[in-house]
Amino acid sequence: MELAIHTEVPESAPGLSVAASNPHKVTAKSVDVYYGDKQALKSINLDIPSNMVTALIGPSGCGKSTFLRCLNRMNDVVDGCRVEGEIKLDGENIYAKGVDVVHLRARVGMVFQKPNPFPKSIYDNVAYGPKIHGLARSRADMDEIVLNSLEKAGLLAEVRDRLDAPGTGLSGGQQQRLCIARAIAVEPEVILMDEPCSALDPIATAKIEELIDELKENYTIIMVTHSMQQAARVSQKTAFFHLGDLVEYGDTQGIFTNPKDERTQAYVTGRIG
Amino acid sequence: MTDQLSNSERIQAGLARRYRAEKRFRLYGIIAVVLAVGFLAVMLSAIGARGFGAFYQTHASLEVTFDEELVKDKDWQGIVKVAMRKSFPDVKARRDKRKLYKLMSSGAGFDLQGMYKADPELLGQTRTVWLPTSDDIDMLMKGQIDRVLAEDDRRVSDKEITWVDQWIASDRIELQFNTRFFTGGDSREPELAGILGAVMGSLLSLTVCLALSFPLGVMTAVYLEEFAPKNKWTDIIEVNINNLAAVPSIVFGLLGLAMFLNFFGMPRSAPLVGGMVLALMTLPTIIIAGRAALRAVPPSIREAALGMGASPIQTVTHHVLPLAMPGMLTGTIIGMAQALGESAPLLMIGMVAFIVDVPAAFTDPATALPVQIYLWADSPERAFSERTSGAIIVLLGFLITMNIIAVFMRKSFERRW
Amino acid sequence: MYVTPARRAKKAVEAVIKGILITSSTVAILTTVGIVASLLFEAMRFFGEIPFVDFMFGTEWSPQTAIREDQVGASGSFGAVPLFAGTLLISAIALAVAAPVGLFAAIFLAEYAHPKLRNWVKPILEILAGIPTVVYGFFAALVVAPWLRGTGEVAGFDVSSESALAAGLVMGVMIIPLISSLSDDVINAVPQSMRDGSFGLGATKSETIRQVIIPAALPGIMGGMLLAASRAIGETMIVVMAAGLAANLTANPLQAVTTVTVQIVTLLTGDQEFDSAKTLAAFALGLMLFVTTLVLNVVALHIVNKYREQYD
């Protein structure tokens, strides 16, 4: 069974057949991830096109979040986590020696499942990234970055007159958009989103989804989602993970309407999950 | 132009500085830990190095004759003097003789008295016995007195050193295990001073403390955790207990002085009062630990017992309390260890007097081990500084033992539900 | 229901047991009441003899009552300001040592140290907390004070052999574990998501700690500092053994100062009439000590609890 999966998936050369117009932003080549003795991801090959939304779906514990966290090396801080294989960002292996994690994470931003604004003002939340990275040359510069980022995150209108209020005082949906503004303030190339809407109500979710759709003009977005509807609504490409394997990858439409693998079909039709 | 720098270049430019800051910050942490651990190491090794000597005492071998006359006069020290003259027949001048006598402890005679009491047959006989020397000679033998110093700058004169060297040459002086340190009461003479009185005082105080604080603490914990309604009154008790835990210990001493001694007229310097004061101090610790232990017992146990028709009191006494007991006992041992190390409140109620006799009852005047340390630390004699460190080693020994027991109990009764 | 006599008896027994439990839980209250009552009562008698204002704001402290009634200064002077100042000076030195060391040790152990190292170092810090204060006092008087004096001589400073510095330094070491364990608690209570958020933006560990974790944990850390301050103010044995007796009004840490607790012990350990102004003064000082530490504790516990609720 295990072997069968292996032979089926990797050599399907996913990115090639679809989206020829967009170059690959991120490419993963035979990535294995271990937590201690447990293997969490098995030989993942995945090419992610730029300026698109790629959704990673699959049942809980399938490895989709693990894979996402590999892309900006957030797994580095987890004890006993080991990553093998190659992940390239613009053709450069991010796991190579000499690659700086700090720099990498400035290029690959991340938005988390639960909104996690810092216990600071709205302004300082957004200014945090540019400040630590030294991106603003002046106060005016910083103001511009902050307002711009809030604008892009669609939050500016709501918070313009209370930038000094604590970020934790916002509603859940606003907090999540604040986190998105915080992430884009450092002008990353890729934004990783780990179930960004799972803690939000439907209205807030709709707003975030709208925002994601706009953001793909300027950023490559990779999101993990539990909701297949969400994946179908916002993503152009979808990758289905199951038990640490990448089962199927392709255009979102194709995955949902015409899945090639029976496990994918079982999942998207709600039989496993 | 700096304006033209891309974000990526700006980040790259700042990286080296940021990593230096990172290293520095981490270094601060390491320094902090090293400072704390280092201080502990220095303190313990300084005290250990000083105090180890207290377990040994210099003894000199003398040929003593239980002269009938002197025994009849109970001039035991006189017997020692005769023996000293016999040991050093060359010493003739009166001043020198007086110096010679001072080589031996003023308590050496007590040893002879003890020997005679145990065996009256000794009358008129001659025996070779090891008797304690004075503290100065003890310090000399332990290398605490620098022989190179000018004569006026050290506590032992050249003559005395010559005599000691004669003893050393004939193997008649040596360090022996200091039994008296463990079996004697306090004394003005360091070589005669022992910690038994203080240990007994601590033991008696702790007995009272345990007898009061354990039942009171357990009952309070049970009431608050199992029966108390959630209302203002219990809130007050709770806040009150938390604050009581942080009241300076000396304030408890003031309470003891004003209430127990002056108002109720209880005896001064008594372990009974000391134990009561310590009990009030340890009570919050035991209550807090007790409540934590009760909270750790899963509600399902209570529900099961209540469901079987047990009354709330039965549920607690038969089922909940036995399960929470290890945790409560652990908390109690830790509380007792705190009480054992406490001295400030005992100073207030007069357990700080010079007491030679070993206390035997709860109302006997007594000190406690930490207070004895405080008293000895104040004494100018070099040898007392050694005794102080020795007493600290014993005190720490007790505390370590108690804590090991507590850790062991926690480990062996630890239960995961 | 069957209400048999046996059952009724059982009910009565239960009521009695419950009564005993309630009674024992009032002992803690009674202790507080006893402390307040005895301190207030004796302090009031003291203030009957010495005006409260003279005590609180007087700058001369020499409680030696004369042997003969007609001697100069027979009543002694009871201006407690030098005592308060001395207490603050030594506590400030102690906190200046303990706050950075305790906080950095906690940060290092919580965020940097390998779990194995942490498992070793944490119990060692707990040992520091378990050592009786009389041992610290002995060490301060016997080793630290002479060492400071010697170092001062070499460097050309005149260091008193009972300097505030010696007592403060050692007291600081004593409260390191208090600060480090409380800080450790609050640092660990900061949710992992905060760290992730910061790391995800490319912050280094120290940037995350300084700019996210510490600000988030600040209320809890402040609460810990207040508790530590209360502990330092009420500490007795270290200052009794290593600080001075003379009431100097000075801010120079190299000189000898005395503290509230030192004076309480000195006033009460000699043989004297209980009703003399001298012994009563000890209770007035005790009252000040109790009130100050109580306020600090209440505020600190309030802050810490508020903080805990925030992340629960």
Side-chain angles (χ1 to χ4, degrees):
Chain A
M1 177 84 185
E2 288 286 331
L3 274 176
I5 300 163
H6 253 257
T7 49
E8 227 172 8
V9 186
E11 291 313 315
S12 57
L16 281 178
S17 57
V18 283
S21 59
N22 294 52
H24 294 148
K25 186 72 185 170
V26 178
T27 53
K29 216 163 131 196
S30 41
V31 173
D32 294 297
V33 179
Y34 303 86
Y35 289 119
D37 298 331
K38 211 181 137 259
Q39 187 164 9
L41 284 177
K42 298 165 198 160
S43 191
I44 303 298
N45 293 288
L46 188 61
D47 295 346
I48 293 165
S50 65
N51 295 89
M52 280 195 178
V53 179
T54 304
L56 312 179
I57 61 169
S60 303
C62 65
K64 56 191 191 302
S65 281
T66 301
F67 180 71
L68 191 76
R69 292 170 74 94
C70 286
L71 302 181
N72 68 344
R73 292 184 53 178
M74 279 299 276
N75 283 330
D76 285 16
V77 293
V78 180
D79 280 333
C81 180
R82 209 168 77 244
V83 179
E84 283 168 13
E86 252 182 15
I87 297 176
K88 285 183 174 169
L89 175 65
D90 284 339
E92 197 189 330
N93 185 6
I94 63 170
Y95 279 91
K97 260 211 167 107
V99 168
D100 190 90
V101 188
V102 166
H103 195 185
L104 169 72
R105 288 181 189 154
R107 294 175 65 193
V108 183
M110 188 158 193
V111 174
F112 297 85
Q113 187 169 356
K114 226 180 109 199
N116 56 350
F118 302 135
K120 299 168 177 286
S121 71
I122 294 172
Y123 184 97
D124 287 340
N125 257 288
V126 183
Y128 180 76
K131 202 173 100 198
I132 55 170
H133 291 303
L135 300 183
R137 281 152 302 159
S138 63
R139 177 81 202 181
D141 223 15
M142 182 63 89
D143 287 348
E144 197 189 318
I145 293 176
V146 169
L147 293 180
N148 242 326
S149 309
L150 284 170
E151 172 77 63
K152 278 194 211 159
L155 192 61
L156 188 60
E158 291 160 61
V159 300
R160 188 191 289 279
D161 51 350
R162 48 176 175 144
L163 290 176
D164 290 333
T168 43
L170 298 172
S171 74
Q174 287 173 324
Q175 284 189 13
Q176 195 61 301
R177 277 180 285 151
L178 178 63
C179 292
I180 293 173
R182 189 175 71 184
I184 56 186
V186 280
E187 293 181 28
E189 298 153 40
V190 180
I191 301 177
L192 310 176
M193 298 190 175
D194 192 354
E195 301 187 37
C197 302
S198 66
L200 304 181
D201 61 69
I203 296 170
T205 301
K207 274 204 175 133
I208 302 269
E209 286 179 3
E210 215 173 283
L211 175 61
I212 292 172
D213 201 50
E214 287 166 21
L215 289 174
K216 76 167 191 290
E217 302 298 322
N218 297 310
Y219 306 98
T220 303
I221 294 174
I222 306 167
M223 69 184 290
V224 163
T225 177
H226 243 110
S227 150
M228 279 165 291
Q229 290 86 340
Q230 185 171 61
R233 281 194 300 263
V234 296
S235 73
Q236 286 75 52
K237 311 271 286 176
T238 295
F240 173 62
F241 285 76
H242 188 240
L243 296 173
D245 290 305
L246 172 60
V247 176
E248 194 166 346
Y249 177 49
D251 284 332
T252 299
Q253 200 150 25
I255 294 273
F256 281 96
T257 54
N258 187 21
K260 297 193 178 65
D261 192 284
E262 61 184 50
R263 283 166 296 168
T264 316
Q265 186 168 17
Y267 183 71
V268 298
T269 54
R271 272 186 285 134
I272 57 171
Chain B
M1 282 286 285
T2 46
D3 285 14
Q4 305 305 312
L5 281 177
S6 73
N7 268 356
S8 183
E9 282 164 322
R10 283 212 193 100
I11 293 170
Q12 206 74 52
L15 277 179
R17 179 186 50 77
R18 289 167 69 189
Y19 281 124
R20 275 199 305 278
E22 172 75 21
K23 272 215 181 103
R24 222 179 308 129
F25 193 77
R26 195 187 144 94
L27 185 67
Y28 294 153
I30 294 175
I31 290 175
V33 169
V34 168
L35 274 180
V37 175
F39 184 95
L40 180 71
V42 169
M43 184 163 81
L44 290 185
S45 52
I47 288 173
R50 247 167 236 266
F52 194 66
F55 303 142
Y56 293 91
Q57 160 69 32
T58 308
H59 285 72
S61 154
L62 289 182
E63 240 168 68
V64 295
T65 308
F66 287 86
D67 182 85
E68 280 185 47
E69 197 100 331
L70 289 171
V71 169
K72 212 167 73 195
D73 290 349
K74 302 206 164 127
D75 186 4
W76 306 103
Q77 205 61 25
I79 299 178
V80 178
K81 286 176 185 169
V82 172
M84 287 296 282
R85 280 204 297 272
K86 226 164 65 184
S87 279
F88 295 94
D90 301 343
V91 180
K92 292 277 193 279
R94 269 186 80 164
R95 271 180 58 192
D96 286 349
K97 276 187 188 164
R98 223 178 294 140
K99 250 190 183 158
L100 184 65
Y101 301 150
K102 283 208 178 131
L103 292 188
M104 298 307 291
S105 163
S106 60
F110 293 128
D111 283 11
L112 298 181
Q113 185 184 14
M115 280 175 72
Y116 177 74
K117 264 198 181 149
D119 182 13
E121 299 277 295
L122 282 171
L123 192 65
Q125 303 218 26
T126 301
R127 286 278 189 283
T128 303
V129 288
W130 289 95
L131 294 172
T133 66
S134 73
D135 57 320
D136 285 338
I137 302 307
D138 186 39
M139 288 293 103
L140 180 73
M141 287 298 288
K142 285 170 179 164
Q144 301 282 344
I145 289 176
D146 195 349
R147 288 166 177 244
V148 185
L149 280 178
E151 188 173 6
D152 290 343
D153 291 345
R154 50 176 143 82
R155 288 182 58 92
V156 186
S157 67
D158 286 346
K159 268 204 183 113
E160 289 168 307
I161 291 185
T162 333
W163 295 328
V164 170
D165 284 344
Q166 284 179 28
W167 261 340
I168 295 175
S170 55
D171 272 339
R172 291 200 296 167
I173 189 164
E174 66 179 34
L175 288 174
Q176 294 181 350
F177 183 72
N178 190 357
T179 326
R180 208 183 236 109
F181 183 69
F182 296 97
T183 57
D186 198 4
S187 168
R188 297 276 184 222
E189 304 300 329
E191 73 274 13
L192 302 177
I195 54 168
L196 186 64
V199 169
M200 281 307 291
S202 279
L203 194 68
L204 292 169
S205 301
L206 283 192
T207 310
V208 175
C209 174
L210 181 66
L212 288 174
S213 62
F214 181 66
L216 276 177
V218 169
M219 287 194 290
T220 306
V222 166
Y223 175 69
L224 290 177
E225 207 54 46
E226 303 287 330
F227 298 107
K230 191 87 192 119
N231 60 24
K232 238 196 169 118
W233 173 241
T234 47
D235 273 355
I236 291 175
I237 296 184
E238 184 149 7
V239 170
N240 179 57
I241 288 169
N242 285 335
N243 280 315
L244 217 46
V247 168
S249 61
I250 193 170
V251 171
F252 285 94
L254 289 173
L255 169 74
L257 173 59
M259 280 289 187
F260 300 148
L261 296 193
N262 291 328
F263 192 71
F264 293 118
M266 292 175 153
R268 250 178 102 80
S269 312
L272 175 66
V273 183
M276 287 167 71
V277 171
L278 293 177
L280 295 183
M281 267 188 59
T282 20
L283 203 49
T285 310
I286 296 179
I287 295 173
I288 292 167
R291 294 186 64 178
L294 286 170
R295 232 172 288 142
V297 177
S300 58
I301 303 269
R302 294 179 186 86
E303 282 153 18
L306 290 172
M308 297 289 288
S311 72
I313 300 265
Q314 283 173 328
T315 307
V316 169
T317 51
H318 296 175
H319 303 278
V320 179
L321 211 45
L323 289 172
M325 211 26 102
M328 289 179 155
L329 287 175
T330 309
T332 307
I333 294 174
I334 289 168
M336 287 299 123
Q338 280 171 6
L340 176 59
E342 197 54 69
S343 28
L346 302 182
L347 301 185
M348 299 289 93
I349 54 159
M351 288 184 77
V352 66
F354 173 68
I355 291 153
V356 178
D357 295 324
V358 175
F362 291 113
T363 48
D364 285 354
T367 56
L369 195 46
V371 181
Q372 186 71 73
I373 290 166
Y374 163 67
L375 285 170
W376 282 353
D378 240 12
S379 307
E381 286 94 340
R382 186 92 205 225
F384 261 128
S385 147
E386 184 193 79
R387 260 54 175 189
T388 312
S389 305
I392 288 176
I393 294 177
V394 174
L395 176 62
L396 292 180
F398 278 122
L399 292 177
I400 290 169
T401 312
M402 290 167 86
N403 278 293
I404 287 177
I405 293 173
V407 168
F408 178 75
M409 280 190 40
R410 193 181 306 161
K411 284 253 160 72
S412 56
F413 288 103
E414 202 167 53
R415 215 187 280 244
R416 296 228 173 269
W417 303 97
Chain C
M1 287 302 288
Y2 308 100
V3 183
T4 60
R7 213 181 161 87
R8 209 175 295 141
K10 201 167 119 190
K11 269 237 152 109
V13 169
E14 301 229 325
V16 169
I17 292 177
K18 216 163 168 183
I20 294 173
L21 291 181
I22 294 175
T23 316
S24 61
S25 74
T26 58
V27 170
I29 297 274
L30 286 179
T31 307
T32 309
V33 172
I35 288 174
V36 173
S38 49
L39 290 180
L40 263 184
F41 183 68
E42 307 291 355
M44 281 306 147
R45 286 170 64 193
F46 173 73
F47 292 128
E49 289 178 36
I50 311 286
F52 180 71
V53 176
D54 290 5
F55 173 76
M56 281 303 283
F57 303 106
T59 55
E60 187 157 343
W61 177 268
S62 58
Q64 272 58 21
T65 15
I67 300 161
R68 292 195 323 272
E69 292 267 320
D70 54 335
Q71 254 179 332
V72 185
S75 58
S77 42
F78 292 94
V81 168
L83 276 51
F84 298 149
T87 307
L88 285 182
L89 178 60
I90 291 182
S91 303
I93 296 170
L95 279 181
V97 172
V101 175
L103 187 55
F104 270 108
I107 289 171
F108 179 76
L109 292 178
E111 304 284 333
Y112 285 101
H114 190 271
K116 262 191 196 145
L117 181 66
R118 183 161 53 221
N119 288 342
W120 271 101
V121 175
K122 269 193 169 179
I124 292 180
L125 289 183
E126 278 169 34
I127 293 178
L128 222 40
I131 290 179
T133 54
V134 69
V135 178
Y136 283 103
F138 178 65
F139 185 68
L142 195 79
V143 178
V144 179
W147 177 75
L148 279 176
R149 200 183 155 81
T151 318
E153 255 167 39
V154 173
F157 290 110
D158 184 23
V159 184
S160 160
S161 56
E162 292 177 328
S163 64
L165 192 58
L169 282 178
V170 174
M171 192 192 282
V173 175
M174 183 199 78
I175 49 182
I176 286 174
L178 181 69
I179 291 186
S180 72
S181 78
L182 286 169
S183 303
D184 189 64
D185 285 352
V186 292
I187 288 172
N188 282 325
V190 175
Q192 182 62 30
S193 66
M194 292 283 159
R195 294 177 180 81
D196 284 349
S198 178
F199 290 144
L201 286 166
T204 64
K205 219 166 196 178
S206 66
E207 286 161 352
T208 305
I209 294 167
R210 271 180 302 168
Q211 303 189 31
V212 176
I213 297 180
I214 301 273
L218 200 58
I221 292 173
M222 289 316 294
M225 297 289 171
L226 288 183
L227 281 180
S230 147
R231 183 75 192 277
I233 290 171
E235 170 49 37
T236 306
M237 292 319 285
I238 294 177
V239 281
V240 166
M241 295 170 84
L245 284 177
N248 295 327
L249 191 52
T250 175
N252 181 353
L254 303 182
Q255 287 189 357
V257 294
T258 193
T259 72
V260 172
T261 49
V262 169
Q263 289 305 316
I264 294 177
V265 170
T266 333
L267 292 173
L268 289 179
T269 45
D271 284 322
Q272 63 254 311
E273 286 285 305
F274 190 74
D275 287 343
S276 75
K278 233 176 116 178
T279 53
L280 293 180
F283 284 90
L285 291 174
L287 183 65
M288 294 300 135
L289 185 65
F290 179 70
V291 170
T292 314
T293 52
L294 186 70
V295 169
L296 282 174
N297 294 338
V298 170
V299 173
L301 288 176
H302 181 76
I303 293 177
V304 171
N305 284 341
K306 261 270 157 65
Y307 170 78
R308 287 219 180 101
E309 281 163 17
Q310 188 188 334
Y311 289 117
D312 263 352

